[in-house]
């Protein structure tokens, strides 16, 4: 699992925290493999989901980590700021920006995940599994943030 993180970025604090449970760390590694090999949710879109979700729950170590990943892959600071203001104006394809907005809106208020919004994503070419997976990825940051806040070392 640690091999997924470049030496220049280091191991995220939340991942280091997971070493408290070797079984959980192994399961988390399996999830990382799933995301890493995803056929349609690109590295950049997944990093943007994590960045926006981390911003939403004020998970600072993951905000910084994912911002660095996005900027190292060519995104500008201005694009990050604009995407944070309104994910629909992100630097990705319109369908990807719409998915980012859906995930963030659903995290803020589950009532935002209306049948109409989901149908719009389908019309843009997203499948139900992809919509679920993107949403799960965002909401997972909220869970990681809460666990980190409970167990982080000072």
């Amino acid at each position: 699992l640690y091999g997924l993180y470049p030496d220049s970025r280091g191991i995220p604090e939340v991942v280091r925290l997971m070493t408290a449970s070797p079984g959980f760390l192994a399961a988390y590694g399996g999830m990382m493999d799933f995301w890493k090999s995803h056929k349609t949710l690109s590295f950049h879109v997944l990093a943007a989901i994590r960045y926006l979700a981390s911003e939403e729950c004020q998970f600072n170590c993951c905000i910084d980590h994912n911002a660095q990943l996005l900027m190292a892959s060519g995104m500008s600071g201005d694009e990050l700021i604009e995407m944070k203001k309104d994910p629909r104006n992100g630097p990705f394809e319109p369908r990807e920006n719409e998915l980012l907005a859906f995930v963030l809106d659903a995290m803020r208020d589950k009532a935002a995940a209306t049948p109409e919004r989901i149908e719009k994503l389908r019309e843009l070419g997203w499948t139900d599994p992809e919509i679920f997976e993107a949403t799960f990825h965002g909401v997972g940051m909220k869970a990681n943030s809460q666990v980190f806040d409970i167990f982080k070392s000072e």
Side-chain angles (χ1 to χ4, degrees):
L1 174 65
Y2 282 6
L4 294 173
Y5 300 99
D7 291 339
S8 61
R9 302 255 182 299
I11 309 299
E13 292 177 68
V14 70
V15 176
R16 289 197 309 262
L17 179 64
M18 291 178 193
T19 61
S21 171
F24 185 84
L25 184 63
Y28 183 77
M31 285 298 297
M32 292 295 292
D33 288 340
F34 173 80
W35 297 122
K36 189 173 84 171
S37 63
H38 203 287
K39 302 273 188 254
T40 53
L41 296 173
S42 71
F43 167 83
H44 300 97
V45 169
L46 290 169
I49 289 171
R50 291 190 306 272
Y51 172 75
L52 293 169
S54 296
E55 283 280 1
E56 182 64 22
C57 55
Q58 299 175 357
F59 193 14
N60 292 330
C61 68
C62 286
I63 294 169
D64 296 341
H65 178 76
N66 288 289
Q68 288 174 2
L69 289 175
L70 289 165
M71 291 177 75
S73 64
M75 227 174 149
S76 71
D78 289 342
E79 287 173 320
L80 281 175
I81 291 167
E82 190 60 35
M83 182 177 67
K84 187 169 65 169
K85 286 181 194 171
D86 184 355
R88 286 178 187 86
N89 295 330
F92 306 108
E93 294 177 20
R95 69 188 291 269
E96 293 170 324
N97 291 335
E98 192 64 40
L99 182 65
L100 292 175
F102 174 84
V103 170
L104 193 59
D105 291 346
M107 282 184 63
R108 289 177 177 154
D109 181 3
K110 66 183 178 185
T114 63
E116 294 80 17
R117 292 270 317 264
I118 293 170
E119 186 56 35
K120 181 177 182 179
L121 291 172
R122 289 177 184 139
E123 290 169 4
L124 292 170
W126 295 110
T127 65
D128 288 351
E130 293 163 339
I131 297 166
F132 171 84
E133 292 157 1
T135 305
F136 183 90
H137 199 58
V139 172
M141 292 307 295
K142 190 181 249 186
N144 287 343
S145 173
Q146 290 177 316
V147 170
F148 184 76
D149 283 346
I150 292 166
F151 291 108
K152 70 180 174 190
S153 57
E154 296 299 322

